[in-house]
Amino acid sequence: MTEQMSPSDAISELKTIVRKDARMRRDGIPAAERAQAAEAIAARAFPLAIRPGTIVSGFMPLKTEINPLPLMRKLEAAGARLALPAIAGRGKPLTMRAFAFGDELASGQWGIREPKAGAPEVVPDIMLVPLLAFDRNGHRIGYGAGYYDMTIAKLRAIAPVIAAGIAFAAQEIEEVPVTPRDARLDLVLTEREVIDLPGN
């Protein structure tokens, strides 16, 4: 008699399949196209108001992730204060620390550059969120550790944080498998369009 898979195990297995497919599709985008996409997102008018002092958290791109740095430079020039995530440990939300271009960064987990421990901790108004795949219901799939889901949930308990996914248009899928702990995005920025998501 075959053992019945629990709903959470089934979703977990489905996410693994989606993750693998999404990574292959993203890795297949030529480097020149990836660079053009990052510049196209930065060149377009940002869809949210940036007032002097608005805190925007970005991230240092890993492998074939879309590069948010051109957009972050533009937002800093418009008066935004920037932040980057630092990993506090597995199973813990990310710590968002103040960052400015020119700051010396530390090498964190997986060699990802992050602010040094002395950089002030901040609560961003807008988070630029990396992802492997997204859908038009506001759901994203990441790498599986849940760092961004935990972080968005923690920060939204403090303030109305806007989570903006940043991705290649090719990363859109019909439906992302979800669990109750998955945090929803408010919008997604791709090189083709700004996708305003429902229910936010």
Side-chain angles (χ1 to χ4, degrees):
M1 186 175 161
T2 57
E3 199 174 308
Q4 198 72 16
M5 192 182 280
S6 75
S8 63
D9 285 345
I11 289 173
S12 180
E13 194 165 289
L14 192 54
K15 281 189 172 190
T16 301
I17 294 165
V18 170
R19 214 171 263 126
K20 188 177 176 186
D21 177 64
R23 198 188 297 260
M24 280 173 56
R25 277 190 294 130
R26 192 183 70 189
D27 288 353
I29 301 170
E33 274 184 41
R34 292 201 303 268
Q36 284 168 1
E39 293 297 340
I41 289 171
R44 189 174 51 222
F46 194 65
L48 302 166
I50 299 293
R51 298 178 181 87
T54 295
I55 300 173
V56 180
S57 68
F59 57 92
M60 285 293 171
L62 189 64
K63 297 179 181 172
T64 58
E65 280 179 342
I66 195 155
N67 185 355
L69 299 179
L71 175 59
M72 290 166 63
R73 284 184 187 280
K74 175 185 170 177
L75 297 178
E76 185 180 54
R81 289 164 53 206
L82 300 178
L84 285 175
I87 294 176
R90 191 162 182 89
K92 294 179 179 176
L94 299 164
T95 302
M96 294 297 174
R97 296 191 181 279
F99 161 76
F101 283 100
D103 285 0
E104 193 180 330
L105 297 172
S107 181
Q109 201 166 328
W110 305 301
I112 300 171
R113 289 172 298 155
E114 59 182 41
K116 294 191 167 183
E121 193 172 336
V122 297
V123 175
D125 301 293
I126 301 163
M127 287 178 70
L128 300 178
V129 182
L131 51 86
L132 277 170
F134 70 92
D135 66 20
R136 296 208 174 216
N137 298 311
H139 299 125
R140 65 179 276 279
I141 200 158
Y143 295 98
Y147 286 122
Y148 272 90
D149 294 309
M150 286 185 283
T151 307
I152 293 167
K154 174 193 166 186
L155 294 175
R156 281 179 173 164
I158 300 167
V161 177
I162 295 171
I166 178 167
F168 303 107
Q171 290 175 267
E172 181 178 348
I173 63 173
E174 190 65 36
E175 190 176 356
V176 169
V178 292
T179 65
R181 74 173 193 144
D182 294 338
R184 293 182 73 249
L185 299 171
D186 297 288
L187 64 152
V188 176
L189 311 172
T190 78
E191 72 275 25
R192 287 190 200 152
E193 61 187 318
V194 173
I195 303 167
D196 204 356
L197 298 164
N200 290 302

